[in-house]
Amino acid sequence: MKAAICTAYGPPEVLKLMTVAQPEPKEFDLLIRVYASAVQSGDRRIRALDVPPAGRLPMRIALGFKAPRKPVLGVVVAGEVAAVGSRVQHFKVGDRVYGLTGMRLGGYAEYACIHAHKCIHLMPLNASFNEAASLPFGGTTALHFLRKAQIEQANSVLIYGASGAVGSAAVQIAKYYNTHVTAVCSDRHAAMVRDFGADEVIDYHMDDYDNQLSTYDAVFDASGKINKLSARKHVERNGQFCSVAGQGVAKELREDLTLLNQMFEAGHFKAVIDRVYPLEEIVEAHRYVDSGRKYGNVIVQVVEE
């Protein structure tokens, strides 16, 4: 099968398109014919070994010293079940599914295996494969941290990095819970962020943008790049602050995909897709994500629908 192999740690050019053996499903596995994946922060962080210097040796020990032991990156899959393991009960060949592969990775290939009890779900009925691939990473990450911020009890929330994969999902989820959303992003993405629900949008390029912010029941840093001390001053007394940086890894829960399905099928959640690249252009896809100019999700289309 065709797959994009991470041959070393480094710039996008370390990704090479190769022919490799198709994975074999174990007894609880689904073998998925992958139609679409995505370039998410976890993929590029592994590829670039993008961690603080003190974390590089532990990361090499965990992932592989010279290159990832699991060389096919891609934490997102959307596709069709091609085969099932002998003890799989709730999925069948031909099911259209999407989800997260966790540390098994494997999404940048024509086929990938995922444990049937992990974060995998039937796709929303009205979603294309590209749309489905845009949902699980941002959606489950936003749900994890917004729960920490007690979004169901919040009347107002401030979301930094509101145009990214996680931030755009967070805006839509917060609106689903009838929360007043103030979004911080660049002006070039402001109209889009308003379109999927933000009540107010503040351009972080403005010199005094911080002075335009009030205090909020919840503050969510969806980018991991802000000054946390500055952000915390916008938290209302007894409010909650959470960030994708420094507060652990988001849990990958199948029940979160159930909620995302319900929201998507009811029109409460939109797929936010910036660009779509074929698998053959995986280097260009990673290069674009590295540029920092993207909004929402960058999709890797493995098979045309």
Side-chain angles (χ1 to χ4, degrees):
M1 67 172 187
K2 288 188 303 182
I5 302 299
C6 186
T7 59
Y9 298 114
E13 290 74 18
V14 301
L15 297 169
K16 309 292 184 183
L17 198 65
M18 298 182 182
T19 299
V20 298
Q22 182 177 304
E24 294 288 337
K26 298 178 181 178
E27 58 182 357
F28 285 107
D29 281 351
L30 306 177
L31 176 67
I32 298 170
R33 186 187 186 202
V34 180
Y35 278 71
S37 186
V39 182
Q40 299 296 1
S41 58
D43 305 316
R44 69 160 303 280
R45 189 173 295 117
I46 292 173
R47 185 217 80 218
L49 204 69
D50 184 14
V51 294
R56 288 175 190 161
L57 179 58
M59 192 169 177
R60 287 181 187 272
I61 292 171
L63 299 177
F65 274 90
K66 294 184 178 180
R69 294 187 193 94
K70 297 184 182 297
V72 182
L73 306 184
V75 298
V76 171
V77 292
E80 289 185 352
V81 176
V84 297
S86 60
R87 300 184 68 180
V88 173
Q89 296 182 345
H90 301 297
F91 295 93
K92 64 183 185 301
V93 172
D95 282 345
R96 291 160 59 98
V97 296
Y98 77 120
L100 298 169
T101 60
M103 291 310 297
R104 291 182 78 166
L105 306 173
Y108 298 167
E110 292 181 301
Y111 290 89
C113 282
I114 186 169
H115 196 291
H117 296 161
K118 297 295 184 178
C119 192
I120 188 75
H121 201 288
L122 295 176
M123 282 169 43
L125 296 175
N126 53 340
S128 68
F129 288 112
N130 286 352
E131 288 172 330
S134 77
L135 305 181
F137 179 82
T140 60
T141 303
L143 281 166
H144 173 86
F145 287 103
L146 287 176
R147 287 194 186 105
K148 292 181 67 173
Q150 300 178 5
I151 194 64
E152 294 182 53
Q153 288 79 46
N155 293 316
S156 62
V157 61
L158 171 65
I159 299 173
Y160 289 94
S163 62
V166 177
S168 61
V171 170
Q172 296 181 79
I173 292 166
K175 291 308 298 180
Y176 180 74
Y177 288 111
N178 297 312
T179 308
H180 185 279
V181 175
T182 299
V184 176
C185 65
S186 68
D187 184 63
R188 70 180 183 273
H189 297 144
M192 177 193 66
V193 173
R194 287 191 182 93
D195 181 60
F196 52 71
D199 299 287
E200 300 177 59
V201 180
I202 307 297
D203 179 8
Y204 69 84
H205 288 114
M206 297 174 61
D207 291 337
D208 64 340
Y209 91 88
D210 194 66
N211 294 328
Q212 297 185 45
L213 302 175
S214 180
T215 55
Y216 308 86
D217 297 322
V219 175
F220 175 38
D221 166 25
S223 69
K225 300 175 182 177
I226 65 167
N227 182 310
K228 292 180 175 58
L229 290 177
S230 177
R232 287 179 185 277
K233 73 182 182 184
H234 297 295
V235 181
E236 190 70 64
R237 185 178 180 184
N238 298 322
Q240 300 292 324
F241 171 81
C242 60
S243 172
V244 296
Q247 294 188 349
V249 178
K251 294 180 180 179
E252 299 177 354
L253 303 175
R254 181 187 290 177
E255 50 263 40
D256 285 347
L257 298 185
T258 300
L259 176 58
L260 293 172
N261 272 31
Q262 294 169 355
M263 293 176 63
F264 190 91
E265 291 173 356
H268 298 305
F269 198 100
K270 299 177 183 178
V272 183
I273 297 174
D274 184 344
R275 297 187 182 186
V276 178
Y277 292 85
L279 180 63
E280 290 76 10
E281 297 178 13
I282 189 68
V283 170
E284 288 76 10
H286 269 251
R287 191 180 292 134
Y288 179 59
V289 171
D290 279 4
S291 74
R293 298 194 303 269
K294 84 168 183 76
Y295 66 83
N297 297 268
V298 170
I299 300 300
V300 177
Q301 187 168 286
V302 181
V303 177
E304 288 191 22
E305 296 189 49

